[in-house]
Amino acid sequence: MLRERGCAMKQQPTAIVELSKNISVRTTMPESNYPALRSGFEGYPPNPRWTVSKYRAWKTGQQWRNALQRGEMVIQRDQLLVTAKKQPRMGRQTV
């Protein structure tokens, strides 16, 4: 018999970070990594002196930029970058 254990997950505080002039994003990333995040989003190369966490922030910014270009992310009216909602296919349904 399996017993469920109650795990209280710690909620990370979120902040809205300005990625570029008209684009912001909500993230739990530490404030010290914001410049690297912006750098990746803007398409700049990584700094070889960055720590692993800053490099990961840069990589995240780069991935968000690519996702925006592919249409996987969109910019809302409030200039917030979010994941695009998937539209259900309008095809034949099997019962």
Side-chain angles (χ1 to χ4, degrees):
M1 182 176 186
L2 293 172
R3 286 180 37 197
E4 287 186 21
R5 292 186 184 175
C7 290
M9 291 181 58
K10 186 177 179 183
Q11 289 275 340
Q12 299 241 347
T14 60
I16 295 178
V17 179
E18 188 175 345
L19 292 175
S20 65
K21 187 175 180 183
N22 295 319
I23 303 172
S24 299
V25 69
R26 188 178 308 273
T27 183
T28 58
M29 196 173 291
E31 189 175 346
S32 60
N33 294 343
Y34 293 173
L37 179 68
R38 288 184 190 109
S39 180
F41 188 78
E42 291 292 331
Y44 293 108
N47 184 332
R49 295 176 296 217
W50 280 341
T51 61
V52 171
S53 64
K54 288 189 182 193
Y55 178 79
R56 286 181 181 163
W58 173 85
K59 189 70 174 172
T60 299
Q62 186 182 48
Q63 290 170 342
W64 286 347
R65 179 174 174 246
N66 293 336
L68 178 61
Q69 291 172 344
R70 288 189 305 266
E72 296 169 6
M73 295 186 91
V74 294
I75 302 168
Q76 295 179 334
R77 288 185 189 160
D78 60 359
Q79 299 178 345
L80 201 61
L81 181 67
V82 295
T83 305
K85 293 180 179 152
K86 294 185 180 180
Q87 298 294 327
R89 281 200 258 170
M90 301 301 273
R92 215 173 4 152
Q93 295 181 358
T94 357
V95 180

